[in-house]
Amino acid sequence: MKTTEFIEIAADLDNPYLQKWKAEGKKVVGYTCSYLPDEILHAVDLLPYRLRGINTTSTMIGDTYFGPFICSFPKCVLQLAGEGQYSFLDGAVITPGCDSMRRLDECWRKTGEDYPNSAPDFFHYFGVPHKIVDYSLDWFVDEIRDLINAVEKHFKVKLEEDRLRASITLYNNSRKLTAKLDQLRIQENTILSGSDALAVILAGTALPRETYNMLLEDFLNDVEGSKKESNGKKKIMLLGSVDDSIELMQTIEGERAVIVADNLCFGPRQNVNFVDESEDPIPALAKRYLQQSDCPRMFGLYKERLETVKNRVTEAKIDGVILQNIRFCDLHGSENGLLERDLEAAGIPCLKLEREYGPMVETGRIKMRLDAFMERLDK
Amino acid sequence: MRKEIMEYDLDWTLWSMMSNASKLSNSTDKELAYLLKYMPTFSELPALFSAFGEAGTTFFEMAGTYLNNILTARERGKKTAITTFCLSPAILYAMDVVPVTLELLTVMATVMWERGTADYLDFCIEAGFTETSCSSQRGSLGAYLAGLGVDIDFIVNDSPGVCDTNANAFAFTAAYLDKPFFQLNMPSDLTSKRATDYHRKDFKAMINFIEDQTGTKLDQDKLREILEEVKIQEELIGEIEELQMLTPNPSPVEFSFLVYSTRFLFSGSKEGTKGLRVLLEQIRENAAKGISGLSGGVEKSRALFCYIDHYTTDMRFWKMLNKNGVTHLGNILGRSWYEDSPLPQHQGNKDESFSIDTSNMEAMIDTMGAINARMPMIKSIRGPYDNPHMWLDDNLALAKMYNVDFIVYSGTPGCRNTWGMVKLFARDTEKQGYPTHLMYSDAFDDRVESWETTQSRFEEFLQVRRLV
């Protein structure tokens, strides 16, 4: 598969593989957060579909249900739902990634009362704890079991252990492939732009996993020997709020930079750390998913996240770090403040950038700030 | 931050003002008038409280004691902990830790100073914290980030899962100041056995954390003493809530503020009990006479505040209520969930309330966990707003019990949690027949919306909906 095909898939909510899946009479369940174990849905033949808010031209519906001081990401998701663009969903699972995302639960349910067919029949709230201790892990195991019960009951399916183990293996294979992709990005002369890499990752959130692994493997075999992307360009690491905008990545990269690493919700970080296949599958899934400390929703783990970023900066020979956050994203916004302080103190140049999710209406402002940052990196 | 602001610590300045204000009631009117001329930036508040006589003086004394405890913690060999109003301070008092509750200090400074806490709010942004975060923490947090307060030993917070914006402020503080941090997590449901078991384990882990920080084991007798005092306080609050159901409401509008402030300052302490007794006594007197607690004496309309109040300069929010004859029937901050209190009695769901069992250590820890799980916000906005036992349920029950004429939301733009659902909430309460007003102002920062605009929108609502 070529990069352009991944870009096509990533640039739209719908794709041919999804259409084929639906045409076969199979179901799709949307979800909001990387703390949801996809394997559970996959093992009962449901397509886990990561919800996005792309291609919105208005947030009129989002603004009607959410208040004004809310992040534009869930508003855009709600907008698309209200417009009926998520009508292919058979279910939705909402996770407390942050306060704004948590309230998507109520806002979407109420939108469903006003706009016919805008909300799926199956709605489930998946309560992920905010810390990693033995009893929160137990809680999370129970949450996973609740999700399984709800899914089994609504979709009239039965989760078999061998199917779950097979799904875990499949997703672990996917993680191995993503790790290869990541290595291609950070090599001395990278052959992948950040925006292309994002497209490859994003496609995985909307495709059946077997198909995705096959396409990704083909891609990795083909891409070796491609022209170098990084010749003379500044190597950037991108951190912060949820970003599934290829356009934003392209704007950042421009002619003078290449994003070779990131630590983003939609980025490759979700595909590292394997599920232990030798353990009982549900506790093993719980461990793998809850022990992701990369998101600031896991309170009190800033030092661990800082260490991860510093290691990545060294490994990928990063010239500068861009810390972006969507307006009203308090978690990333304030963590970016800490990261700026600590990374700059370690001699790593940083640019802190606030933006809106959705259509790129601030390109001029962002470009101007990026130019200034590039000038700084040139010195 | 402005140079002159850097000259004084926030906690010291507040202590100085509170303790001096408590002495005003000993002044003659002439002395008071003369003195107030020298306090142009916060003249009306002491005047207001001196007019309340013992209730006002007691409150200032109590606030002065709270602040003095912070200032003298080190010399008394006690540890200090930055914490939130969502965490009951009773456990900290039981473990000999001095609470430094950010939201309380923010309110004190916001209410008292003409300029509010603008300098501290802004310093947070200089320090890297987002300006879109909740101002209730930022208002005093800026001082501690700038080193304008006592040294802090550790940080305890209990809002993750309920209000991540609140939790984030404390996590940021811990990282910025490099202090030990503990968070209690809140599951989305309140009454399941699973949630209760989780609370127990989490609360025990917090006790272990505090023991590690202080080097002292939790004393069973001290905890029992504190809980017995909590019980007395909840019974007093329950009676106040009962009396507020009368028409006219005999409680002065400011007393709702004093009730919840007292609980936040001194839950489980003798000082708090004394403060509540003084308030109750005055409400009882008004009730016996059948008079309204409003300064004008005429109750025109009954308002329920579904979230918080508005705190900027000189308590003008409460003055506005008095001026319009609107009585204040409480908000999310003051409600008692003790088993004998009016709302849980009305709701009739035992699991929703808490009881106080001091028979042994395990029972007391469970009791503290249950109290904490029913603190403001923690109780009613932990799950979907329209779930049983949550925000809508509670407020519709209160609206009925207190025979309210309308409901008001006042909050902050930093409140992601309520702004994520308040439009839906208002739609539902309107459907139930309660006119509902959403205040778009910041309860702690007039720069977001001027007080004049806030007042004008509020009064327009009263007029248009024919509520006064």
Side-chain angles (χ1 to χ4, degrees), chain A residues 144-180:
Chain A
I144 294 174
R145 291 192 198 285
D146 278 356
L147 173 67
I148 293 168
N149 290 337
V151 164
E152 286 183 335
K153 192 174 166 196
H154 181 86
F155 292 102
K156 297 182 176 50
V157 291
K158 183 75 191 156
L159 179 70
E160 306 291 349
E161 189 179 324
D162 56 339
R163 290 282 310 273
L164 183 56
R165 285 190 182 279
S167 295
I168 288 171
T169 304
L170 180 75
Y171 275 79
N172 274 345
N173 287 340
S174 203
R175 291 177 184 117
K176 284 175 198 159
L177 296 170
T178 312
K180 278 189 194 170

Side-chain angles (χ1 to χ4, degrees), chain A residues 90-111:
Chain A
D90 299 286
V93 181
I94 308 292
T95 302
C98 62
D99 292 335
S100 299
M101 289 308 292
R102 178 156 80 98
R103 294 299 175 204
L104 182 60
D105 173 47
E106 291 106 310
C107 288
W108 198 350
R109 280 192 285 112
K110 297 291 168 178
T111 306

Side-chain angles (χ1 to χ4, degrees), chain B residues 40-290:
Chain B
T41 58
F42 55 99
S43 60
E44 294 213 28
L45 182 66
L48 186 68
F49 277 108
S50 68
F52 281 129
E54 198 185 351
T57 310
T58 306
F59 179 73
F60 277 117
E61 281 172 358
M62 204 163 43
T65 306
Y66 178 85
L67 292 157
N68 190 52
N69 287 347
I70 293 174
L71 296 175
T72 60
R74 277 278 186 280
E75 64 196 64
R76 291 180 294 125
K78 290 175 189 280
K79 300 283 184 184
T80 53
I82 279 188
T83 187
T84 172
F85 73 104
C86 307
L87 182 88
S88 168
I91 188 65
L92 298 175
Y93 287 128
M95 299 185 79
D96 238 7
V97 173
V98 176
V100 180
T101 309
L102 291 183
E103 296 90 348
L104 295 190
L105 302 184
T106 297
V107 168
M108 288 182 201
T110 306
V111 159
M112 305 255 305
W113 294 338
E114 187 74 43
R115 66 173 187 275
T117 61
D119 297 273
Y120 307 121
L121 286 162
D122 293 351
F123 185 79
C124 286
I125 299 152
E126 282 181 47
F129 197 48
T130 50
E131 83 275 16
T132 55
S133 285
C134 182
S135 47
S136 69
Q137 289 92 39
R138 278 195 293 127
S140 56
L141 177 58
Y144 287 93
L145 297 182
L148 299 176
V150 298
D151 286 340
I152 298 299
D153 294 301
F154 58 93
I155 293 162
V156 277
N157 175 255
D158 67 341
S159 54
V162 171
C163 179
D164 289 352
T165 308
N166 176 303
N168 185 54
F170 293 89
F172 177 90
T173 308
Y176 190 90
L177 298 176
D178 196 19
K179 300 291 179 188
F181 172 74
F182 186 88
Q183 52 151 333
L184 287 169
N185 267 202
M186 295 295 149
S188 65
D189 81 297
L190 173 75
T191 55
S192 68
K193 182 180 176 303
R194 188 178 155 220
T196 305
D197 291 345
Y198 186 87
H199 284 315
R200 180 183 305 122
K201 288 174 189 163
D202 216 12
F203 211 79
K204 280 184 178 175
M206 185 177 80
I207 289 169
N208 290 339
F209 169 83
I210 297 173
E211 285 176 343
D212 287 346
Q213 299 305 316
T214 58
T216 312
K217 284 271 171 208
L218 173 59
D219 180 328
Q220 184 164 321
D221 294 334
K222 180 122 191 234
L223 181 59
R224 183 171 290 113
E225 193 185 307
I226 295 269
L227 284 173
E228 295 296 349
E229 205 65 34
V230 169
K231 189 173 181 180
I232 295 168
Q233 291 178 355
E234 293 298 329
E235 283 165 356
L236 294 171
I237 293 169
E239 189 178 341
I240 290 172
E241 290 180 355
E242 192 83 44
L243 291 169
Q244 285 178 330
M245 279 192 254
L246 294 171
T247 304
N249 170 17
S251 173
V253 286
E254 299 83 355
F255 277 23
S256 293
F257 169 70
L258 297 184
V259 167
Y260 61 75
S261 301
T262 301
R263 194 201 253 141
F264 295 147
L265 290 167
F266 283 121
S267 178
S269 299
K270 300 276 183 203
E271 290 92 337
T273 311
K274 182 188 166 200
L276 290 170
R277 282 193 204 286
V278 170
L279 297 176
L280 177 58
E281 206 45 53
Q282 194 164 329
I283 297 171
R284 275 180 183 157
E285 278 176 28
N286 287 350
K289 291 177 197 161

Side-chain angles (χ1 to χ4, degrees), chain A residues 63 102-103 130-131 135, chain B residues 162 183 202 382 417 423:
Chain A
D63 289 332
R102 178 156 80 98
R103 294 299 175 204
H130 293 263
K131 61 180 177 184
Y135 55 90
Chain B
V162 171
Q183 52 151 333
D202 216 12
R382 58 168 58 197
N417 201 339
K423 285 185 174 180

